[in-house]
Amino acid sequence: MVEISCSVLDVEEENSVKTFYNLETAKIDYFHIDVMDGKFVKKNTSKKMRDYALKISHISNIPLDVHLMCSDVRKYIDDYIDLKPDRITFHIEAVSDKEEAIELIKYLQQNEIKACMAIKPGTELENIYEILPYLHMVLVMTVEPGLGGQKIIPEMIDRVKVLKKYCDEKSLDIDIEVDGGVNDINSTELANNGANIIVSGNYIINSENYNESVKKLKS
Ligand code: DX5
Ligand code: ZN
């Protein structure tokens, strides 16, 4: 069974608490917090996302799934430690080498946060292979990071299959999360290919009925 991580990136500030409450009622598994620094990607959502994550942690026990689209990874990890997120994902493109990645992974683990890494569509999948044994999850970007509401890049659906096959061959038990442009039509194939956590933002947020849309993504 797949788990659903709802991106709150495009939740409007007005009525945000009510939206968070309705998402909780719809039985999402995680709140996905899209932190953008204005450097790694154009947009800067750092203030809005910190504010949302704080609000969510006050009203809900649903775990936080923090996605850092940030160049200064350590600084943004520090921004979230007090909120005790379940997991934090940083980008392979944001670190200079394997050593730096492992240092950040250890830092997260010392703080009892699951260490996860994301990969952009244009980065060779093989680049992440040597770091896999240290990771709890890989986030496969299915769109270019930076914006919600984009269309999925179809080639990324196959990428999930390749990654899952590699993990199985190496007996690596790692979560595979997909993020960007996921809806009730492509979610089945993504899950069949090995994704076990599905991020969805606009598909859920723009739907009439959160309970129905979350149920559709899970089935
Ligand atoms: C993109 C973000 C995603 C995305 C999800 O940079 O990481 O989390 O906005 O939203 P939808 O489902 O609307 O693509
Ligand atoms: Zn994201």
Side-chain angles (χ1 to χ4, degrees), residues 135-178:
L135 294 173
H136 190 91
M137 176 179 90
V138 174
L139 182 161
V140 176
M141 287 294 323
T142 42
V143 299
E144 279 303 326
L147 267 186
Q150 303 182 70
K151 274 219 170 78
I152 195 165
I153 301 170
E155 292 76 32
M156 293 302 111
I157 301 176
D158 283 337
R159 168 171 275 200
V160 174
K161 202 183 215 168
V162 175
L163 176 63
K164 175 65 178 162
K165 187 166 173 271
Y166 182 87
C167 289
D168 285 349
E169 277 167 11
K170 302 283 173 194
S171 304
L172 294 165
D173 185 18
I174 296 175
D175 286 341
I176 299 179
E177 181 172 68
V178 284

Side-chain angles (χ1 to χ4, degrees), residues 15 17 33 40 51 62 69 74-75 84 103 109-110 116 123 127 132-133 139 148 154 157 166 168 174 182 190 216:
N15 296 326
V17 171
I33 311 294
F40 186 80
D51 177 46
I62 292 180
M69 285 160 276
R74 175 72 183 242
K75 171 175 179 276
K84 300 197 186 323
E103 230 172 80
Q109 290 167 345
Q110 280 160 12
C116 316
T123 304
N127 292 356
L132 287 179
L139 182 161
I157 301 176
Y166 182 87
D168 285 349
I174 296 175
V182 180
L190 288 162
K216 274 190 187 165

